Amino acid sequence: MINIEINKEPLELIKSDIELVLVIDKKFEHRFIKTPASLFDKCGFSANHEETLFLVEQNRVFVGCESLKANDIKSAIASATRVIIGTKYSSLKIATYHDMDTISSIGAIVEGIILGAYTFDKYKSKKSELFLSSVVISLEEYNSHEINEVEASNALVRAKILANATNMVRDIVNTPPDDFYPEIMANIAKELSDNSTLECEILEVEELKKENMNALLAVARASRHTPRVIHLTHKVANPKAKVVLVGKGLTYDSGGLSLKPSDYMVTMKSDKSGGSAVLGILKAVNELGLDIEVHGFVGAVENMIGGDAYKPDDVLIAKNGKTIEVRNTDAEGRIVLADVLSLAQQRVEDLDYIFDMATLTGACVVAVGHYTSGVMGFSDEVKDKVIKSANVSGELASKLDFNRHLKKTIKSEIADVCNISSTRYGGAITASMFLSEFIEDKNRDKWVHIDIAGPAFVEHTWAENPYGASGAGVRMMTTLIENLCNEK
């Protein structure tokens, strides 16, 4: 654990083992740099964004940063932090780099350090040793702006909460399936409630049968690990709004009888990313003490093969009474979400917003790339709220619009709806349109589906994100809920 503190002393009066210096927009002639430009040139350091230079004899790390925008600062600092944690330096100091918003500026520095220092070495025989134990952020600012110490301290606390919740989700998603199954996911939710004011309810098989969640149970029945549905709640006395989050928690997805090819099956431990993000968001919202009532529902299921597996050609009856023709058992996440969405709307009356998050389709990755979430639904106003919150938080999101022609492709001749489209194109949208069949009419304009298949798990380092799980959705949705607090 790295201890991060604010200090109003000038940078040069603060003692530390090493100093981190940002080179903004390739401007080498700045009072913080104190190093001849000729030396940078000799080292081949151009100060491109996230490019680092470690001058050991000066005990200083330089990193290029494209601008003073918070998200640029965050990713640059994360890149430099990865260099520093590979050394034996124990203390670090850094100045403040301000974009005229104290909360986002200080937050970017703190998140960059915590997210950049993340490693997952649980299964390594030789563990990484973290020597860096303390960071001091001087309120001496790049452009000599005055920084309010109280605002800076509040920003520090907020950023720590967001970053630590994100790292918790990264740990969950990165954990292999033999060590992480529905029961484990439910236990983590219970631990969160035991250590906070969150309320937790876990539905097991008998309760799920009573709730007529037969679609979810069909997906789960070939696994030796029985399913769970988690309901985690943050309640306050006079909530400014009531928000429902629903997450896909496929702790492993083999594809079922429509078995995935082996290379597509690798990384399917990440299919629990949506449900994991819901847990992380509830943790952050609770620790921030936001005046919003938030209900998190997670369908924790393992999709496996066996003599009891559900099959292509089966017709399932979902909780809301609609029938689903199964034509591909690898389109299981939407079947699980169908029942959990129905349960959530039954349990939470007079909700203001309902958001579901899932690593739902490879088609979304094709559409918008590895780093961007797809945002779908009926209300442009609510979709725009998600995208705005993503941009502020440092995540990327893009709208994918519905259209009536694609809806025809999930028509079934023998049931109310088919679980896959009759065309290979537009798969992210048709999957979302399938989910819309399980949204009550009164909630149509309150619902948004967020497909996080792209950013949730990437097999290389990018921005402030490591190889593997990114914790996608935590910062974006927590920011959105904060914004809803300010709207009322």
Side-chain angles (χ1 to χ4, degrees):
M1 182 69 72
I2 302 173
N3 181 53
I4 305 176
E5 297 178 348
I6 300 290
N7 192 320
K8 60 184 179 181
E9 293 289 335
L11 190 65
E12 64 179 15
L13 297 181
I14 297 171
K15 294 182 179 180
S16 69
D17 295 337
I18 194 168
E19 180 181 347
L20 174 54
V21 183
L22 273 63
V23 181
I24 306 295
D25 192 25
K26 301 186 179 182
K27 294 174 182 174
F28 292 100
E29 305 299 328
H30 190 275
R31 61 195 172 91
F32 284 160
I33 294 178
K34 303 174 185 175
T35 297
S38 59
L39 181 56
F40 292 125
D41 185 58
K42 188 179 292 186
C43 294
F45 178 64
S46 301
N48 294 319
H49 187 64
E50 298 182 18
E51 181 187 357
T52 58
L53 174 65
F54 187 4
L55 293 181
V56 178
E57 66 280 7
Q58 294 185 11
N59 292 321
R60 303 175 93 207
V61 171
F62 296 88
V63 60
C65 186
E66 194 169 288
S67 75
L68 284 172
K69 292 179 180 178
N71 290 329
D72 287 342
I73 291 170
K74 188 186 304 177
S75 62
I77 287 177
S79 181
T81 300
R82 293 185 193 107
V83 172
I84 293 165
I85 64 172
T87 72
K88 293 188 177 181
Y89 291 95
S90 63
S91 61
L92 166 70
K93 67 179 179 180
I94 182 172
T96 298
Y97 294 81
H98 197 33
D99 67 348
M100 304 309 294
D101 180 349
T102 299
I103 290 178
S104 63
S105 300
I106 298 293
I109 295 170
V110 175
E111 286 185 40
I113 292 164
I114 296 174
L115 298 176
Y118 175 84
T119 57
F120 185 76
D121 60 2
K122 181 178 179 180
Y123 295 90
K124 294 274 192 181
S125 56
K126 186 177 180 180
K127 310 296 184 187
S128 302
E129 187 171 359
L130 180 62
F131 291 93
L132 183 64
S133 59
S134 68
V135 175
V136 177
I137 302 171
S138 169
L139 294 186
E140 183 181 6
E141 198 275 328
Y142 179 78
N143 283 319
S144 301
H145 293 300
E146 289 291 325
I147 304 294
N148 183 289
E149 190 173 357
V150 174
E151 287 183 4
S153 296
N154 291 339
L156 172 69
V157 172
R158 176 186 180 275
K160 283 182 177 179
I161 289 171
L162 285 179
N164 288 329
T166 300
N167 281 346
M168 181 195 80
V169 172
R170 289 172 171 180
D171 281 342
I172 292 172
V173 175
N174 281 326
T175 302
D178 211 36
D179 288 340
F180 200 99
Y181 37 88
E183 181 183 1
I184 302 297
M185 199 165 207
N187 289 341
I188 288 176
K190 288 177 185 175
E191 288 174 12
L192 286 175
S193 67
D194 288 343
N195 296 315
S196 68
T197 59
L198 292 169
E199 298 175 9
C200 184
E201 179 187 9
I202 306 297
L203 280 69
E204 300 191 34
V205 172
E206 290 307 313
E207 291 94 339
L208 297 174
K209 288 178 179 177
K210 290 176 184 177
E211 292 286 352
N212 295 316
M213 299 181 74
N214 298 306
L216 179 150
L217 287 165
V219 175
R221 72 188 186 209
S223 173
R224 65 192 174 99
H225 298 297
T226 56
R228 304 286 191 280
V229 170
I230 299 161
H231 181 189
L232 199 60
T233 310
H234 168 74
K235 288 185 177 179
V236 292
N238 297 296
K240 294 180 178 177
K242 192 180 291 186
V243 175
V244 172
L245 304 172
V246 175
K248 173 186 172 185
L250 265 291
T251 58
Y252 193 72
D253 178 22
S254 68
L257 292 180
S258 304
L259 194 66
K260 294 178 185 288
S262 59
D263 53 339
Y264 282 81
M265 211 180 297
V266 174
T267 75
M268 278 299 102
K269 63 185 179 182
S270 68
D271 220 16
K272 57 184 179 288
S273 296
S276 304
V278 168
L279 300 183
I281 295 161
L282 264 295
K283 172 180 165 66
V285 165
N286 187 255
E287 291 178 2
L288 289 167
L290 300 183
D291 291 333
I292 297 275
E293 184 173 318
V294 183
H295 294 261
F297 292 85
V298 179
V301 177
E302 189 176 65
N303 183 26
M304 297 296 288
I305 59 173
D308 196 30
Y310 84 119
K311 301 169 286 297
D313 281 343
D314 279 347
V315 174
L316 310 177
I317 303 175
K319 177 174 172 56
N320 70 347
K322 287 197 174 183
T323 55
I324 303 167
E325 179 189 0
V326 178
R327 296 184 71 90
N328 189 320
T329 64
D330 194 23
E332 84 301 324
R334 65 199 71 179
I335 294 174
V336 170
L337 287 174
D339 270 357
V340 182
L341 283 165
S342 299
L343 178 73
Q345 292 168 95
Q346 174 188 297
R347 290 288 183 93
V348 185
E349 297 179 354
D350 302 320
L351 60 88
D352 293 294
Y353 299 95
I354 179 167
F355 303 97
D356 74 75
M357 305 177 65
T359 47
L360 204 63
T361 65
C364 194
V365 188
V366 173
V368 296
H370 267 122
Y371 315 108
T372 303
S373 296
V375 180
M376 290 153 273
F378 296 106
S379 168
D380 281 327
E381 180 184 353
V382 184
K383 287 185 286 185
D384 287 342
K385 288 179 188 290
V386 175
I387 290 168
K388 178 183 176 182
S389 299
N391 291 337
V392 168
S393 71
E395 297 193 45
L396 299 171
S398 180
K399 279 194 283 190
L400 298 174
D401 292 330
F402 287 171
N403 69 71
R404 65 180 181 273
H405 307 294
L406 281 175
K407 185 170 183 179
K408 297 173 185 176
T409 68
I410 57 171
K411 181 178 181 290
S412 170
E413 297 298 329
I414 63 168
D416 295 328
V417 66
C418 185
N419 82 318
I420 60 165
S421 168
S422 60
T423 174
R424 69 176 66 185
Y425 303 112
I429 297 171
T430 55
S432 185
M433 296 181 98
F434 172 90
L435 294 179
S436 74
E437 295 288 321
F438 303 90
I439 301 298
E440 297 174 15
D441 289 343
K442 64 182 180 181
N443 294 326
R444 278 171 59 90
D445 289 332
K446 303 174 182 179
W447 165 72
V448 164
H449 162 64
I450 306 165
D451 193 330
I452 60 171
F457 195 96
V458 180
E459 292 186 275
H460 57 257
T461 299
W462 56 287
E464 63 269 21
N465 301 294
Y467 171 99
S470 68
V474 174
R475 292 174 291 151
M476 169 173 65
M477 297 307 295
T478 305
T479 300
L480 185 148
I481 294 168
E482 286 179 307
N483 291 340
L484 293 179
C485 286
N486 297 328
E487 283 182 3
K488 300 291 181 175

